[in-house]
Amino acid sequence: MYKKILGFTILLFVLFGMQSVEAASPVYKTVQSTHLKASTQKGAKTLMTVKANTKVELLSKTNSWAHVQIGKTKGYLSMRSVMPLETPIASYDMNEVMSYKGTDIVSISGVSYKIDSALKPFFQKNGTALKSMLVVPKTNGRTLIGWKKLSFFPLSQPASSLVIDKAAASRIDSLSIPWNPMSPNFTLTTAGPLRQVVANTYAHYPPFDDGKQTLTLNGQIEQLHTAGEVQIAGKGTIERWDISKDTEYSYEIPVRYSGEVGFLNIRNTDVVVRGTNTLNVRTVAAPTKTHVLGGKNGVIGSIKPSKTIRGKKMGKAELAIDKMFSNVNEASVTTTLDTLNISYTKARVGDYVTALRQNEAAGPNKRLVNSATDLKDIVRLVDAVMMTKQTTPAYVHTSDRQLTVQTFHDHVDNASYSSQYARAVTAMVTDGTLQTIRFKRPLIEKKEWYVSQEKGQAFIYDFPVGSTRIVTIDGNTTRSLVMETKAVARPNDSQSRIELVSINDKPLSAYQQEPPAYEAKVVESGSRTYVAVRSGDKEWLRNIHFFNVDVNANHRTGGPVSTDKINLGGWKSSETVIFPLYDTKRLTNLTIQSFGYKNAVYK
């Protein structure tokens, strides 16, 4: 629920305050030295030789030829020798709300406008979808004649499709399709060239398994901008597709598209595009050779770009890894490591298999494994996890029969809290066998299990029996803790329960100290509100990690400790921690969670 609320907040910020586009047809440039021909006929006269990176004015085009003008000279270039330049996403100070109720009138921010006759069929065809939109309109007096920006409002009546005729397509500079939790699958059909489509889905955090968006595009799209995990389907032509680098997790974009992408521009090192034999890509720009996948791991097979600006087709190493992933087992992993001359420990091949099976594809808690360097790093990190012996402090919290365990505790500022994923490792090893390993972990890493406590015993569920080490590797820092469990027979029952014996050789009760005396107050600072908590027990303060408070009878809010600098009104900062209050200014049933302590409740 917290993720969804955060997602809505981010979407509203983007839609109301930031993104849109300026009207302009795409500008093209040559991607290689080429001949300008007088016609499209075989043996046509060469008018001039055009150097690479020359801007050209596109007059018209077919699948094979671009009719262009260079200076005062008009002629024809092969479509494979040109690509569109990016139409940047510009910003507007305000997006207005447009409401349509099925008449010849539309309301924009409460003001009525006539609908231009050329746009009436578009409104009549899409009345339900256009019921509530965010827009930057184009008007002529009190007549709506088009849009600089047309965008769906994610919390309005969900729209699953939009059909755009030729007249309307020419009047839309930019169409924004944000992720809508009530309608994650969207179909866009356009009869005329559409200048730009912007689809930003889960740009800041990974989607839920049932919340991934499918965007079906039918017709000609001149510019497509995506950020976040989305599946592209449909039929037609996408002249240029730009994939933003502004995501903080690994992901894969499955493409089930029948048609051509003129220029595919991948900016994100943690993204791969996986196509099928129905997808044709003329020109590719990617960080490495393994970001556009025709097979599993490279620009091969069905996807054969005529020009690769950055990135290359797969070599020996990528082909070997691609073959290994078709059947990951000890034999295939051993063969691949030997083929690529990667040093490894034979006794740990089974652990490498576990790691590779859990991290085969891109995902929020995974890493891309597409090159020899990636595979070598997997081996190195698995070895580091398995060789770890030291024990570092355990951060343990129990509440409502929920056990939370962390290997470290860091306060974060409000800006970085939304940046949830970093390149790091979290692993669980039980009695020398690797159970789980993740190569991307949340910035605030935690492991949670359900526990019950009865007569001095703590029983844990969904946990292995034995000695389990939890390891985190963050850069050059390795931390670990050990949880000991044993099977306990149930009276008159053949099944046993799992008792949590200790965490770092201490019983769970050792992590349930009584909270100290403290004070709390609401502090106003600028346009924001905080709750400040003061205590003389600096150990308790240092281990505080979360709070909850009643907003009303039906809703509680909460969050992590903030590192913002505010005026505490005479309280010493060394004796105080603060939390940001977003939905309330009351401290009703304030609950403070601190590692190693029971919950402190301020009423």
Side-chain angles (χ1 to χ4, degrees), residues 529-549:
T529 304
Y530 299 83
V531 53
V533 177
R534 179 171 71 170
S535 174
D537 190 329
K538 293 186 177 181
E539 185 68 18
W540 178 72
L541 287 175
R542 186 163 42 245
N543 284 286
I544 289 177
H545 60 98
F546 208 82
F547 87 106
N548 292 98
V549 68

Short mmCIF file of all heavy atoms in Angstrom, two decimals, residues 529-549:
data_model
loop_
_atom_site.label_atom_id
_atom_site.label_comp_id
_atom_site.label_asym_id
_atom_site.label_seq_id
_atom_site.Cartn_x
_atom_site.Cartn_y
_atom_site.Cartn_z
N THR A 529 6.00 19.80 8.17
CA THR A 529 5.71 19.51 9.57
C THR A 529 6.46 18.25 9.99
O THR A 529 6.54 17.29 9.22
CB THR A 529 4.20 19.30 9.77
OG1 THR A 529 3.49 20.44 9.29
CG2 THR A 529 3.88 19.08 11.25
N TYR A 530 6.99 18.26 11.21
CA TYR A 530 7.76 17.13 11.73
C TYR A 530 7.27 16.79 13.13
O TYR A 530 6.67 17.61 13.83
CB TYR A 530 9.25 17.46 11.80
CG TYR A 530 9.90 17.80 10.50
CD1 TYR A 530 9.81 19.08 9.96
CD2 TYR A 530 10.60 16.83 9.77
CE1 TYR A 530 10.41 19.38 8.75
CE2 TYR A 530 11.20 17.13 8.56
CZ TYR A 530 11.10 18.41 8.06
OH TYR A 530 11.69 18.71 6.85
N VAL A 531 7.56 15.56 13.55
CA VAL A 531 7.44 15.21 14.96
C VAL A 531 8.85 15.01 15.48
O VAL A 531 9.65 14.28 14.88
CB VAL A 531 6.56 13.95 15.18
CG1 VAL A 531 7.04 12.78 14.34
CG2 VAL A 531 6.55 13.56 16.66
N ALA A 532 9.17 15.69 16.56
CA ALA A 532 10.48 15.58 17.19
C ALA A 532 10.37 14.73 18.44
O ALA A 532 9.42 14.87 19.23
CB ALA A 532 11.03 16.96 17.54
N VAL A 533 11.32 13.81 18.64
CA VAL A 533 11.33 12.91 19.79
C VAL A 533 12.65 13.11 20.54
O VAL A 533 13.73 13.00 19.93
CB VAL A 533 11.18 11.44 19.34
CG1 VAL A 533 11.27 10.51 20.54
CG2 VAL A 533 9.87 11.24 18.59
N ARG A 534 12.56 13.40 21.85
CA ARG A 534 13.75 13.67 22.64
C ARG A 534 13.87 12.69 23.79
O ARG A 534 12.89 12.33 24.44
CB ARG A 534 13.71 15.09 23.21
CG ARG A 534 14.91 15.43 24.07
CD ARG A 534 14.96 16.90 24.44
NE ARG A 534 13.92 17.26 25.40
CZ ARG A 534 13.89 18.44 26.03
NH1 ARG A 534 14.83 19.36 25.79
NH2 ARG A 534 12.92 18.71 26.88
N SER A 535 15.11 12.23 24.02
CA SER A 535 15.38 11.32 25.14
C SER A 535 16.85 11.42 25.52
O SER A 535 17.71 11.72 24.68
CB SER A 535 15.05 9.87 24.76
OG SER A 535 15.43 8.98 25.79
N GLY A 536 17.12 11.14 26.80
CA GLY A 536 18.50 11.10 27.26
C GLY A 536 19.19 9.77 26.95
O GLY A 536 20.41 9.65 27.11
N ASP A 537 18.43 8.78 26.49
CA ASP A 537 18.98 7.47 26.15
C ASP A 537 19.42 7.50 24.68
O ASP A 537 18.62 7.27 23.77
CB ASP A 537 17.93 6.38 26.37
CG ASP A 537 18.51 4.98 26.27
OD1 ASP A 537 19.48 4.79 25.49
OD2 ASP A 537 17.99 4.07 26.95
N LYS A 538 20.70 7.78 24.46
CA LYS A 538 21.19 7.94 23.09
C LYS A 538 21.21 6.63 22.33
O LYS A 538 21.11 6.63 21.10
CB LYS A 538 22.57 8.58 23.11
CG LYS A 538 22.56 10.02 23.61
CD LYS A 538 23.92 10.68 23.49
CE LYS A 538 23.85 12.14 23.94
NZ LYS A 538 25.16 12.83 23.82
N GLU A 539 21.34 5.51 23.02
CA GLU A 539 21.32 4.21 22.34
C GLU A 539 19.94 3.94 21.75
O GLU A 539 19.82 3.47 20.60
CB GLU A 539 21.71 3.09 23.32
CG GLU A 539 21.83 1.71 22.70
CD GLU A 539 23.00 1.59 21.73
OE1 GLU A 539 23.91 2.43 21.78
OE2 GLU A 539 22.99 0.62 20.94
N TRP A 540 18.91 4.23 22.50
CA TRP A 540 17.55 4.07 22.00
C TRP A 540 17.30 5.00 20.80
O TRP A 540 16.75 4.59 19.79
CB TRP A 540 16.55 4.37 23.12
CG TRP A 540 15.11 4.28 22.72
CD1 TRP A 540 14.39 3.15 22.45
CD2 TRP A 540 14.20 5.37 22.55
NE1 TRP A 540 13.08 3.47 22.12
CE2 TRP A 540 12.94 4.83 22.16
CE3 TRP A 540 14.31 6.76 22.68
CZ2 TRP A 540 11.82 5.63 21.93
CZ3 TRP A 540 13.20 7.56 22.44
CH2 TRP A 540 11.96 6.99 22.06
N LEU A 541 17.75 6.27 20.93
CA LEU A 541 17.59 7.21 19.84
C LEU A 541 18.31 6.74 18.58
O LEU A 541 17.79 6.82 17.47
CB LEU A 541 18.13 8.59 20.23
CG LEU A 541 17.32 9.42 21.22
CD1 LEU A 541 18.07 10.68 21.59
CD2 LEU A 541 15.95 9.78 20.64
N ARG A 542 19.53 6.26 18.77
CA ARG A 542 20.35 5.84 17.63
C ARG A 542 19.71 4.68 16.88
O ARG A 542 19.89 4.52 15.67
CB ARG A 542 21.74 5.46 18.12
CG ARG A 542 22.73 5.15 17.02
CD ARG A 542 24.17 5.18 17.51
NE ARG A 542 24.35 4.55 18.79
CZ ARG A 542 24.73 5.18 19.90
NH1 ARG A 542 24.96 6.49 19.86
NH2 ARG A 542 24.89 4.54 21.04
N ASN A 543 18.93 3.85 17.58
CA ASN A 543 18.34 2.66 16.97
C ASN A 543 16.90 2.86 16.49
O ASN A 543 16.30 1.92 15.95
CB ASN A 543 18.41 1.49 17.94
CG ASN A 543 19.79 0.91 18.04
OD1 ASN A 543 20.26 0.22 17.14
ND2 ASN A 543 20.49 1.21 19.14
N ILE A 544 16.34 4.07 16.69
CA ILE A 544 15.00 4.35 16.16
C ILE A 544 15.04 4.27 14.64
O ILE A 544 15.95 4.78 14.00
CB ILE A 544 14.51 5.73 16.62
CG1 ILE A 544 14.20 5.71 18.14
CG2 ILE A 544 13.27 6.16 15.86
CD1 ILE A 544 13.79 7.06 18.70
N HIS A 545 14.03 3.62 14.05
CA HIS A 545 14.05 3.48 12.59
C HIS A 545 12.71 3.77 11.92
O HIS A 545 12.68 3.98 10.71
CB HIS A 545 14.50 2.06 12.20
CG HIS A 545 13.62 0.97 12.71
ND1 HIS A 545 12.64 0.37 11.96
CD2 HIS A 545 13.58 0.35 13.94
CE1 HIS A 545 12.05 -0.56 12.68
NE2 HIS A 545 12.58 -0.60 13.87
N PHE A 546 11.61 3.82 12.68
CA PHE A 546 10.31 4.01 12.02
C PHE A 546 9.30 4.53 13.04
O PHE A 546 9.47 4.34 14.25
CB PHE A 546 9.81 2.69 11.42
CG PHE A 546 8.91 2.86 10.23
CD1 PHE A 546 9.44 3.08 8.97
CD2 PHE A 546 7.53 2.80 10.36
CE1 PHE A 546 8.62 3.23 7.86
CE2 PHE A 546 6.69 2.95 9.25
CZ PHE A 546 7.26 3.17 7.99
N PHE A 547 8.25 5.20 12.52
CA PHE A 547 7.17 5.65 13.39
C PHE A 547 5.84 5.44 12.67
O PHE A 547 5.76 5.33 11.45
CB PHE A 547 7.34 7.13 13.75
CG PHE A 547 6.75 8.08 12.74
CD1 PHE A 547 5.57 8.76 13.01
CD2 PHE A 547 7.36 8.29 11.51
CE1 PHE A 547 5.01 9.62 12.07
CE2 PHE A 547 6.82 9.15 10.58
CZ PHE A 547 5.63 9.82 10.85
N ASN A 548 4.77 5.38 13.47
CA ASN A 548 3.39 5.38 12.97
C ASN A 548 2.58 6.33 13.82
O ASN A 548 2.86 6.50 15.01
CB ASN A 548 2.76 3.99 13.04
CG ASN A 548 3.40 3.01 12.08
OD1 ASN A 548 4.25 2.23 12.46
ND2 ASN A 548 2.98 3.04 10.83
N VAL A 549 1.55 6.95 13.22
CA VAL A 549 0.69 7.84 13.98
C VAL A 549 -0.69 7.82 13.34
O VAL A 549 -0.83 7.63 12.13
CB VAL A 549 1.27 9.28 14.00
CG1 VAL A 549 1.21 9.93 12.63
CG2 VAL A 549 0.59 10.14 15.05
#
